[in-house]
Amino acid sequence: MSEPINTVSLADALVHSNHRFRKECMLIVMASVEEVTKHMRVINNLKGKETESTIVPQAKFRPYHSEKIVSGTGGLIARTLETFPLEILEEFDPENLYTTIFGGTVDVEKIDLDIVRRILTEEMNNASRGLCDVIFQGVRNASGTGALDGFDGFDTIIAKEFAAGNISLANGNFTNLGEVNATNIGDVWKRMYRKMDEKLRGGDAKKLVLVCTPTEYDMYKNWYAQQFGAGNFPGTPEQTYLDGTANKVQILPLVGTEGMNHCFITTNENMKVGFDLLSKSTKFSVRVPDNPHMVQMYAKIYMGVEFANINKEFLMVGARTVKDDSVYMDSDTTAVTFADTASNATKTAKVKLFGFNLTAATMLTLEGTDAAKFSLNDNTITADEANASAGKEITITFTPGAAGSYAAALRVTNATDNVSMVIPLSGKGV
C-alpha cells in the first residue's frame, strides 16, 4: 500500500524557510527588472521621497555697459522620486506547485533546503515579472488592486506633464511624429533627433538612449534593410544605434514598453528608479492559513520611477501612431507528433494558425511520401480568419492503415503576401 502524500511537511518546510530566504527572495524582484533597470539610475534603500534639484543657469556675456544691467537670475528645478508600497498576498497549494516544477509527488525525503528555495523562487519570480510593465505604463491608484496600479510609469509621467504644459512643442521637449511604419521610422526618428536641443545632443562623448517598443525596433530593422540592404545590418553598430547619429543614440526596445503612447530620447542618468527591498520597512513571510493544505506568502516592497529633469536639455518626447504593416504567418506549434495509433484507427491533432496583415487567402497542402496517411479538415483559410486575434484552428487526422512509421509535412502558403511555412508531421501505426 502506497504512503499518503505528505503535503503538511512541505508546507511546514516553506513556513520555516521564510526568514532564512527572505533576502534571496526579495532580491529576485531586483533581478526580474534588471534587464530594464540596468539602463537607468537605480536608487537603493529608498522608502518615501527623494528630491533632486537641477541648476538652471541664465548668465550670458554681452557688451560692456557702465550702468548696472543684470543679465538674468539662475534657478533650481526640483523633481521628486517617490517609492510606493507594493505587496504580494498569495495562497498556493505547495503540493501542486512542487509537482508543476519537479514532477511526481511529494515525500519527506524530497523536502530539502534546495527544493524549498526553488519553490519560493518560482513564486516570487512569477509575481515580479510584471514590474517592467509598471515601470513604463503604471498608473498610480492607491485604492486599486490591479498589477499596473502601483506607481506612475515613465509613459504616464510624460502624459501628465504634457497635460500640465511642461512637456510641449513650445518648450522644445516634444514633437509630434505622426504615423510611423517600417518605411519611414528611421527618417522620422532622425528628424526627432535633429529637433532636439543642442545641449541634449551634446558633444561626441555624450551617450543618449531612444526608449521605444520592440515593435518599433523591428520596424527600424526593416527600414534599415530597405535603405542599406539586409546584408549590411547584422554585426554593425547601426544594429543598436540610430543611423545618422554617429552611434550616440542607442535604441532601447525595453521589456514593458509595448503599448506606450510615446517614445523618448534622454540619458540613462535621467531615468531614475527607486527601490526599498531589504530594510525593516519591507516584509516577507510564509505561513499556513486557515486551510492546512495551503501556504500563504506575503511580501511588501517600495518602488517608483521618475525623470530627474524633463527640460529640453534633458528630454525629447515623440508622440506617434505605430502602424506595424509587416506581414507574416505563425502557428502555436513547430511540429505535430501523433501518439501510437492502431492500424485500423485514426487520431487527430489541432493546430492554430495566426496571420498578421494578410490580404489574401492562405492555402494548406500536405506533402511528402506519406502525405496520404494524413488529412486536413480545411484546405483554405481566408485573410479575415487568419488575421483574427484567435487565429484559425485546423484539424489534422492521422490514419496509418498499417503498422509502421510515417512522416509528412503541412505546407502553409500565401503567394499574394509572400508567406510560406512548413510544419512537420509524424506518427506511428501499431
Side-chain angles (χ1 to χ4, degrees), residues 29 113 115 145 173 198 200 204 211 223 270 282 288 311 326 355:
V29 179
L113 297 182
I115 287 177
T145 59
N173 53 4
E198 62 179 12
L200 177 57
D204 293 338
V211 180
W223 173 87
N270 198 40
T282 62
V288 179
N311 279 21
S326 56

Side-chain angles (χ1 to χ4, degrees), residues 159-173:
K160 290 184 176 181
E161 294 291 358
F162 182 84
N166 299 321
I167 292 178
S168 67
L169 188 64
N171 289 336
N173 53 4

Side-chain angles (χ1 to χ4, degrees), residues 278-325:
L278 298 174
S279 75
K280 293 182 179 179
S281 300
T282 62
K283 296 180 180 179
F284 180 76
S285 63
V286 181
R287 70 184 187 88
V288 179
D290 297 336
N291 184 344
H293 295 284
M294 304 295 287
V295 171
Q296 186 181 88
M297 182 179 74
Y298 179 76
K300 180 181 180 182
I301 65 169
Y302 290 79
M303 188 174 175
V305 300
E306 184 57 271
F307 289 108
N309 199 307
I310 62 171
N311 279 21
K312 63 182 181 180
E313 297 89 352
F314 299 88
L315 177 69
M316 169 58 88
V317 173
R320 76 284 184 265
T321 301
V322 179
K323 183 181 180 183
D324 185 1
D325 49 7

Side-chain angles (χ1 to χ4, degrees), residues 315-373:
L315 177 69
M316 169 58 88
V317 173
R320 76 284 184 265
T321 301
V322 179
K323 183 181 180 183
D324 185 1
D325 49 7
S326 56
V327 180
Y328 61 88
M329 198 83 180
D330 204 352
S331 71
D332 62 352
T333 185
T334 56
V336 177
T337 301
F338 290 87
D340 289 355
T341 307
S343 58
N344 61 347
T346 62
K347 288 193 176 178
T348 61
K350 306 287 187 181
V351 174
K352 274 195 174 183
L353 299 173
F354 301 87
F356 196 78
N357 289 332
L358 298 181
T359 62
T362 299
M363 308 305 295
L364 309 179
T365 56
L366 294 168
E367 57 185 32
T369 305
D370 301 325
K373 304 297 182 181

Side-chain angles (χ1 to χ4, degrees), residues 40-162:
M40 303 174 183
R41 181 160 36 127
V42 176
I43 312 297
N44 288 313
N45 302 320
L46 176 62
K47 175 181 176 292
K49 300 179 180 181
E50 177 191 84
T51 299
E52 179 175 346
S53 298
T54 305
I55 299 174
V56 183
Q58 298 290 334
K60 296 180 177 63
F61 279 103
R62 59 185 179 186
Y64 170 78
H65 290 272
S66 58
E67 68 273 20
K68 176 182 177 181
I69 302 177
V70 178
S71 60
T73 302
L76 295 174
I77 294 179
R79 293 189 66 81
T80 300
L81 168 64
E82 182 176 3
T83 60
F84 297 91
L86 309 177
E87 66 176 10
I88 304 166
L89 179 59
E90 293 292 338
E91 288 186 355
F92 58 94
D93 183 337
E95 179 196 342
N96 287 342
L97 187 59
Y98 178 93
T99 303
T100 300
I101 299 172
F102 305 106
T105 57
V106 180
D107 57 60
V108 177
E109 289 74 19
K110 293 179 181 177
I111 302 169
D112 56 37
L113 297 182
D114 180 61
I115 287 177
V116 169
R117 184 193 301 270
R118 289 177 65 183
I119 288 178
L120 291 178
T121 297
E122 286 298 315
E123 278 295 285
M124 188 60 79
N125 262 328
N126 185 68
S128 302
R129 289 181 188 119
L131 288 176
C132 292
D133 295 331
V134 191
I135 288 175
F136 292 102
Q137 300 182 71
V139 181
R140 172 66 178 167
N141 180 6
S143 60
T145 59
L148 294 176
D149 293 332
F151 55 87
D152 285 349
F154 287 113
D155 198 47
T156 303
I157 293 170
I158 288 172
K160 290 184 176 181
E161 294 291 358
F162 182 84

